[in-house]
Amino acid sequence: MKPLFLLIEILIILGVTIKTIEAEKHSKKQKGRNVTTQVSVNKVKQYLSNILEQRKPINVISKKENLLENKKNHHKLRRKGIRNKDLWKRNKDHLKKQAKNNFTDEGDQLFNMGIQILQQSKSQKQKAEAYIFFAKAADMGNLKAMEKMADALLFGNFGMQNITAAIQLYESLAKEGSYKAQNALGFLSSYGIGMEYNQAKALIYYTFGSAGGSMMSQMILGYRYLSGINVLQNCEVALSHYKKVADYIADKLEKSEGIPVEKVRLTERPENLSSNSEILDWDIYQYYKFLAERGDVQIQVSLGQLHLIGRKGLDQDYYKALYYFLKAAKAGSANAMAFIGKMYLEGNAAAPQNNATAFKYFSMAASKGNAIGLHGLGLLYFYGKGVPVNYAEALKYFQKAAEKGWPNAQFQLGFMYYSGSGVWKDYKLAFKYFYLASQSGQPLAIYYLAEMYATGTGVLRSCRTAVELYKGVCELGHWAEKFLTAYFAYKNGDIDSSLVQYALLAEMGYEVAQSNSAFILESKKAKILEKEKMYPMALLLWNRAAIQGNAFARVKIGDYHYYGYGTKKDYQTAATHYSIAADKYHSAQAMFNLGYMYEHGLGITKDIHLARRLYDMAAQTSPDAHIPVFLALMKLETVHLLQDILLFNFTMRWKWMTLDNTIGPCWDLFVIGLIVAVLIFLLRNRYG
């Protein structure tokens, strides 16, 4: 089978249903009608067969060009009777170049059409149509389209995951100098997904990827040098990599709000996961819509904010956002007025940029003492939008908004003192306001704090602090969108797709993604890795998450060493990790586990009194630990009592025979069961 024939089979299975452009327009007028057309399997094969058969996309172009050019050239030469070989050669070269340009232009047009559909579409069916255009463009040798198709095969977009096919495409693209392909191959080598597990090779791919301009490779290398993963730990090198990405993100943030990052932890309880605060359930959303229509102003503003940015799993929809803000503003909501002003200031499809309208709504909100409105007026005067530039007025409004705790205003004050815009430069005041804003998560404030720590401007230089701050900014990049797609893939049962996406984010240093990847690997539901590799890889990821401060991951490492999952049994190491989780993070589970180990002397000196103390601490730390602690203490006291009785009755000539030898290795469970049975008997007699 040719390297990528599997792609054809995948797209056949996908059965992509496309709405025609005419049907889309018609459906807006008549909601009840839904005109669809099924893409012909033969057409899909026609578009893709060439890229699947060739290792190098350039060969695809050359073969088609040569056939076309030879026919045209021979026909023209026969008609005109031109026998001059030099002229024939010049004509051939000209036609070849022209055909190549036409072919390339058509591929670019198809690729751009696919991108436009992706950006404008909301439903999955509409987005799937874009990949038909990408397939056509890829067939014409468009490298960007081939990258899109390779990503779709790797991450399982629209159910078309095929790692083998993705690797074949990435290898072809890498030979053409694609930095995205270099990054992808580095990631796959790092985990051993579809390729040989080879960290040295992964590092080479990442190095080439970063040199080519891959922000993801830069971020991965930054994390590796920060943590010393297969390289010597070097803060300065990590700083260099993270700064490049942070500069890129900061430039994007200055133009917009940035991408909201919804990080769902799969390690939460199932009941909490189904109603996770990071994702808004459809039923709850419908209930909120009902309340908003009934006139609940607070809900109207909240829904407007969610649609304005695209939060909690909802699509960004400026029309809906403006609709809810206008309803709330009519009811007198100052926040709604301020957000309407913000929409007109920035400009979008629903609210075209209009400084006068923005000024009007900001003024209405500011007159009610609203911090967002005051900040908006400050921005208008600072940048001179619709009004003359007036730094004094801007400073006044920013100060009023900052006093009310609005982080964006605190950042603007910090920036004025940092850059000396309308005020004398004062790095101490700049640091103060940047720090205040950063406590509320203002990303640009975090970026400028990192700049100050990296250069030692106004503060003592600290490489480590600067790197940690830059890392926080880098994690706001567009790649964080994969948190949502990975979560929904997991929720829909597409475990492999979810794992690949979480694993890539984990490689980039996201702690939540590291614990989620480890959680999926631990379940052994994934099929893209051999089962014997899952526990060792999960242990590696738990360890990385623990280093970043995840208490649950620290307990998990203890469990893996206690039971021998992915490593040898080592009670002493397990006890060490439990101790860290108990002392540093006050983990009730770690306290309970450590108490059990002290009770039985596993890896540490047996100490009944310390075991009791740890059990009590676990119960005090978490209400969920009350029942397990009660049973553990009852068992401990019962066993202690039995030991005292037996020691009293037997003389010193007889050696004490342990309960392990007399009852068996599970004697503690037997004793707990006996205690429970006695308690049930007593309760029945009391209330019977």
Side-chain angles (χ1 to χ4, degrees), residues 137-276:
D139 180 42
M140 296 180 175
N142 187 286
L143 294 180
K144 291 182 179 179
M146 292 180 72
E147 288 173 347
K148 284 287 184 184
M149 294 304 295
D151 288 345
L153 289 165
L154 175 62
F155 298 117
N157 298 351
F158 313 108
M160 54 192 289
Q161 188 176 42
N162 189 304
I163 305 295
T164 304
I167 290 171
Q168 295 291 347
L169 267 179
Y170 282 133
E171 287 177 342
S172 296
L173 287 164
K175 292 176 182 178
E176 299 298 323
S178 168
Y179 64 80
K180 290 184 179 179
Q182 299 279 3
N183 183 75
L185 290 171
F187 158 65
L188 293 167
S189 298
S190 178
Y191 282 87
I193 299 174
M195 300 178 69
E196 181 189 0
Y197 176 81
N198 191 325
Q199 289 293 338
K201 200 172 182 180
L203 188 61
I204 293 171
Y205 278 126
Y206 289 142
T207 303
F208 279 113
S210 65
S214 170
M215 291 293 110
M216 294 174 77
S217 290
Q218 291 278 8
M219 196 168 165
I220 290 169
L221 288 174
Y223 177 65
R224 288 194 166 217
Y225 278 103
L226 174 64
S227 306
I229 300 172
N230 298 109
V231 291
L232 290 174
Q233 196 169 15
N234 191 320
C235 183
E236 295 299 333
V237 177
L239 179 68
S240 173
H241 286 294
Y242 271 124
K243 178 170 170 50
K244 290 175 185 175
V245 185
D247 289 343
Y248 168 80
I249 300 298
D251 183 61
K252 298 285 185 185
L253 290 171
E254 286 175 352
K255 298 173 184 175
S256 65
E257 286 289 331
I259 295 171
V261 182
E262 316 287 3
K263 299 177 182 178
V264 180
R265 290 190 182 275
L266 302 182
T267 53
E268 291 187 4
R269 291 181 175 183
E271 60 267 23
N272 294 337
L273 188 60
S274 61
S275 59
N276 196 283

Side-chain angles (χ1 to χ4, degrees), residues 50-333:
N50 290 317
I51 52 170
L52 301 184
E53 290 175 357
Q54 302 299 326
R55 293 286 295 180
K56 294 184 179 179
I58 192 66
N59 291 340
V60 180
I61 303 172
S62 300
K63 284 191 175 183
K64 292 187 176 182
E65 288 169 357
N66 291 337
L67 290 172
L68 178 66
E69 291 153 15
N70 288 337
K71 287 180 181 179
K72 286 184 177 180
N73 289 336
H74 283 299
H75 183 66
K76 286 184 178 181
L77 289 171
R78 285 172 184 173
R79 285 181 59 190
K80 294 181 179 181
I82 299 174
R83 300 180 181 275
N84 190 311
K85 292 183 179 180
D86 293 335
L87 182 60
W88 183 86
K89 188 177 180 181
R90 285 199 298 270
N91 285 339
K92 180 182 178 182
D93 292 340
H94 174 72
L95 289 171
K96 184 176 181 180
K97 187 180 289 185
Q98 188 176 12
K100 184 174 182 178
N101 289 338
N102 292 339
F103 206 66
T104 304
D105 290 343
E106 188 178 352
D108 291 342
Q109 289 174 5
L110 289 168
F111 174 76
N112 291 332
M113 287 174 68
I115 291 294
Q116 191 174 1
I117 291 170
L118 272 184
Q119 291 173 344
Q120 296 178 354
S121 301
K122 294 180 181 178
S123 70
Q124 292 298 307
K125 286 184 179 180
Q126 289 173 333
K127 288 180 180 179
E129 180 185 355
Y131 283 87
I132 300 301
F133 286 95
F134 292 148
K136 294 177 185 178
D139 180 42
M140 296 180 175
N142 187 286
L143 294 180
K144 291 182 179 179
M146 292 180 72
E147 288 173 347
K148 284 287 184 184
M149 294 304 295
D151 288 345
L153 289 165
L154 175 62
F155 298 117
N157 298 351
F158 313 108
M160 54 192 289
Q161 188 176 42
N162 189 304
I163 305 295
T164 304
I167 290 171
Q168 295 291 347
L169 267 179
Y170 282 133
E171 287 177 342
S172 296
L173 287 164
K175 292 176 182 178
E176 299 298 323
S178 168
Y179 64 80
K180 290 184 179 179
Q182 299 279 3
N183 183 75
L185 290 171
F187 158 65
L188 293 167
S189 298
S190 178
Y191 282 87
I193 299 174
M195 300 178 69
E196 181 189 0
Y197 176 81
N198 191 325
Q199 289 293 338
K201 200 172 182 180
L203 188 61
I204 293 171
Y205 278 126
Y206 289 142
T207 303
F208 279 113
S210 65
S214 170
M215 291 293 110
M216 294 174 77
S217 290
Q218 291 278 8
M219 196 168 165
I220 290 169
L221 288 174
Y223 177 65
R224 288 194 166 217
Y225 278 103
L226 174 64
S227 306
I229 300 172
N230 298 109
V231 291
L232 290 174
Q233 196 169 15
N234 191 320
C235 183
E236 295 299 333
V237 177
L239 179 68
S240 173
H241 286 294
Y242 271 124
K243 178 170 170 50
K244 290 175 185 175
V245 185
D247 289 343
Y248 168 80
I249 300 298
D251 183 61
K252 298 285 185 185
L253 290 171
E254 286 175 352
K255 298 173 184 175
S256 65
E257 286 289 331
I259 295 171
V261 182
E262 316 287 3
K263 299 177 182 178
V264 180
R265 290 190 182 275
L266 302 182
T267 53
E268 291 187 4
R269 291 181 175 183
E271 60 267 23
N272 294 337
L273 188 60
S274 61
S275 59
N276 196 283
S277 60
E278 296 286 345
I279 305 295
L280 194 64
D281 282 345
W282 180 251
D283 293 339
I284 297 174
Y285 172 64
Q286 293 299 321
Y287 177 63
Y288 284 165
K289 282 178 65 178
F290 170 75
L291 292 177
E293 295 300 330
R294 291 287 297 271
D296 190 316
V297 176
Q298 189 176 352
I299 294 295
Q300 288 168 350
V301 175
S302 297
L303 285 177
Q305 286 180 270
L306 292 175
H307 283 297
L308 177 62
I309 307 173
R311 294 291 306 275
K312 296 189 179 294
L314 297 180
D315 290 327
Q316 189 177 50
D317 193 320
Y318 293 120
Y319 291 98
K320 287 182 180 178
L322 185 61
Y323 169 76
Y324 286 119
F325 285 145
L326 286 171
K327 286 179 75 73
K330 287 178 182 177
S333 169

Side-chain angles (χ1 to χ4, degrees), residues 394-594:
L395 183 66
K396 180 182 74 174
Y397 284 118
F398 287 149
Q399 284 176 334
K400 287 182 179 180
E403 287 170 3
K404 294 178 179 291
W406 185 238
N408 289 350
Q410 292 167 344
F411 161 72
Q412 288 294 341
L413 280 176
F415 181 75
M416 290 184 76
Y417 284 111
Y418 181 82
S419 60
S421 303
V423 294
W424 292 104
K425 280 188 179 182
D426 190 329
Y427 292 127
K428 287 186 178 179
L429 277 176
F431 179 84
K432 170 191 171 183
Y433 285 115
F434 285 150
Y435 180 78
L436 286 172
S438 71
Q439 296 304 294
S440 301
Q442 215 288 344
L444 284 172
I446 297 171
Y447 171 76
Y448 278 100
L449 274 180
E451 289 280 276
M452 295 181 80
Y453 275 110
T455 57
T457 305
V459 292
L460 187 65
R461 187 179 187 276
S462 173
C463 178
R464 183 77 188 190
T465 305
V467 168
E468 292 291 348
L469 291 168
Y470 277 138
K471 183 175 182 289
V473 176
C474 294
E475 291 183 354
L476 297 173
H478 62 83
W479 38 78
E481 290 177 332
K482 292 194 181 299
F483 270 107
L484 266 184
T485 54
Y487 169 71
F488 285 123
Y490 179 82
K491 200 173 180 182
N492 294 331
D494 193 350
I495 304 300
D496 287 340
S497 173
S498 178
L499 175 59
V500 170
Q501 293 178 76
Y502 277 134
L504 177 60
L505 293 169
E507 187 78 350
M508 297 171 72
Y510 288 89
E511 177 271 310
V512 175
Q514 289 168 348
S515 59
N516 285 356
S517 300
F519 179 80
I520 293 173
L521 287 168
E522 186 181 271
S523 68
K524 291 194 173 183
K525 293 179 181 178
K527 298 175 182 177
I528 56 175
L529 273 180
E530 294 87 347
K531 287 193 175 181
E532 60 270 15
K533 292 182 180 179
M534 290 189 182
Y535 273 139
M537 186 60 70
L539 178 59
L540 178 70
L541 290 165
W542 283 129
N543 188 59
R544 291 181 184 177
I547 291 170
Q548 296 199 71
N550 187 320
F552 183 83
R554 183 66 67 182
V555 175
K556 275 290 183 182
I557 298 170
D559 291 343
Y560 274 52
H561 283 94
Y562 183 90
Y563 294 107
Y565 294 156
T567 184
K568 293 181 180 179
K569 278 189 179 182
D570 189 338
Y571 291 137
Q572 192 171 357
T573 304
T576 301
H577 287 289
Y578 290 145
S579 296
I580 294 171
D583 297 338
K584 190 174 181 179
Y585 305 109
H586 307 290
S587 166
Q589 182 67 61
M591 292 172 187
F592 184 89
N593 293 354
L594 200 56

